[in-house]
Amino acid sequence: MNCSKLRSVMLALSLSASAAFSPPTTITKLNPTNMIGANHHPLSSLFGITTMTTTSLSSSSSDDSYQNENLDVIEPLPKVLRFRGTVANGYGRGGKKLGVPTANLPESLFSNALSDISTGVYFGWALIEGSGKGRNAIQKAVVNVGYSPTFAGEENPEKIIEAHLILEENDKMGDFYGEIMRLQLIGSLRPEMKFPSFPELLSAIQNDIVCAKEALTESRFVEFGKDEFLEVRDGVWIGESGGDEDASWEFQDFDQALL
């Protein structure tokens, strides 16, 4: 099964699960174009964010809704999102509970910059600064931005960027805690969802990894692995959108980001 079919199945299943285990909710989806007749997020023109309110979703209705999505094409974000900050201690979920270690950047590092970014699963490129094994090397990344809603009662107290670096087989980097990460987000895979069980969550994560890895082989996304932001040079990179030498961020139009 290819990535687009996997995405279609997982989106339908996850929406069905959300409907079965949760009350009516608001699902925020990333879309590079504005949707006519939808309820627009205040910053839809900036991030291409469209907010849709759902009432009740059955398995059949969620399947129908995603048959209308163009899942064969993974669209880039309207803006490239760049973050640099110190990796924080997480909650021991990614590596210990799910076997998918993550490098975490909490919302508090970036003032209110994450408040206007939809929760969801993204992909892009990452780099851990330093001189140790695997450091200063550009890696593919699949990234969740959100609150980890499947961990009922243990949700993140703040929005967190959780980046899983997709390493080549047999590559190991160890823990990243306290190290500086540069992270660039260029595309979106799906909204953040609450799954009814850990096996379903893990299945979705593994699917996300496959889809992110596949997307990052496309020429339009490969080029962003050459972003100057990912080159460690003399001096500290400070983003133009905000922050300082300890943590900063920058949002730049996709078609202008590599000029």
Side-chain angles (χ1 to χ4, degrees):
M1 186 180 294
N2 63 27
C3 182
S4 63
K5 290 181 180 178
L6 281 169
R7 290 176 69 220
S8 179
V9 170
M10 290 310 304
L11 283 165
L13 287 176
S14 58
L15 276 179
S16 179
S18 295
F21 288 85
S22 303
T25 186
T26 297
I27 299 174
T28 306
K29 301 176 65 183
L30 289 172
N31 193 313
T33 57
N34 291 332
M35 297 179 63
I36 303 299
N39 298 318
H40 293 298
H41 186 282
L43 291 179
S44 61
S45 61
L46 178 61
F47 290 107
I49 297 171
T50 301
T51 303
M52 298 188 299
T53 302
T54 64
T55 52
S56 61
L57 288 170
S58 64
S59 177
S60 59
S61 66
S62 62
D63 288 346
D64 292 341
S65 69
Y66 276 99
Q67 286 174 357
N68 295 326
E69 297 284 345
N70 186 0
L71 292 170
D72 292 324
V73 179
I74 296 178
E75 294 291 348
L77 297 177
K79 289 185 178 289
V80 173
L81 313 180
R82 299 183 180 105
F83 301 94
R84 179 184 181 273
T86 301
V87 176
N89 289 333
Y91 299 94
R93 298 168 182 160
K96 295 179 181 178
K97 291 188 177 181
L98 299 172
V100 184
T102 59
N104 303 324
L105 300 176
E107 183 175 30
S108 54
L109 277 180
F110 306 108
S111 185
N112 62 351
L114 294 189
S115 62
D116 298 320
I117 297 176
S118 293
T119 58
V121 180
Y122 299 77
F123 62 87
W125 301 92
L127 175 145
I128 304 294
E129 296 181 10
S131 57
K133 185 177 181 180
R135 273 53 179 178
N136 286 359
I138 300 170
Q139 309 286 357
K140 297 180 177 71
V142 59
V143 182
N144 188 76
V145 177
Y147 300 93
S148 300
T150 301
F151 293 85
E154 300 179 17
E155 297 88 348
N156 302 339
E158 62 178 325
K159 190 181 288 185
I160 291 180
I161 299 173
E162 300 172 287
H164 172 68
L165 276 55
I166 305 172
L167 306 179
E168 296 299 324
E169 189 175 359
N170 298 322
D171 281 356
K172 294 183 178 180
M173 294 182 64
D175 291 334
F176 312 127
Y177 302 138
E179 299 185 56
I180 301 292
M181 178 169 66
R182 299 188 187 203
L183 180 64
Q184 169 218 79
L185 305 182
I186 52 178
S188 170
L189 294 177
R190 63 174 176 83
E192 184 179 55
M193 303 273 183
K194 182 176 182 178
F195 294 90
S197 70
F198 292 134
E200 281 133 316
L201 171 62
L202 182 57
S203 178
I205 291 173
Q206 294 298 334
N207 171 59
D208 295 335
I209 293 172
V210 170
C211 292
K213 191 172 183 179
E214 182 178 308
L216 289 167
T217 63
E218 296 183 23
S219 58
R220 57 183 173 158
F221 296 130
V222 168
E223 289 301 307
F224 281 86
K226 305 172 186 176
D227 189 350
E228 289 185 0
F229 164 66
L230 297 169
E231 297 178 10
V232 179
R233 302 175 177 177
D234 293 338
V236 175
W237 181 88
I238 299 177
E240 294 184 359
S241 299
D244 54 30
E245 60 185 17
D246 293 323
S248 67
W249 61 94
E250 180 176 284
F251 306 148
Q252 189 175 16
D253 288 344
F254 187 91
D255 58 359
Q256 300 292 317
L258 297 181
L259 297 180

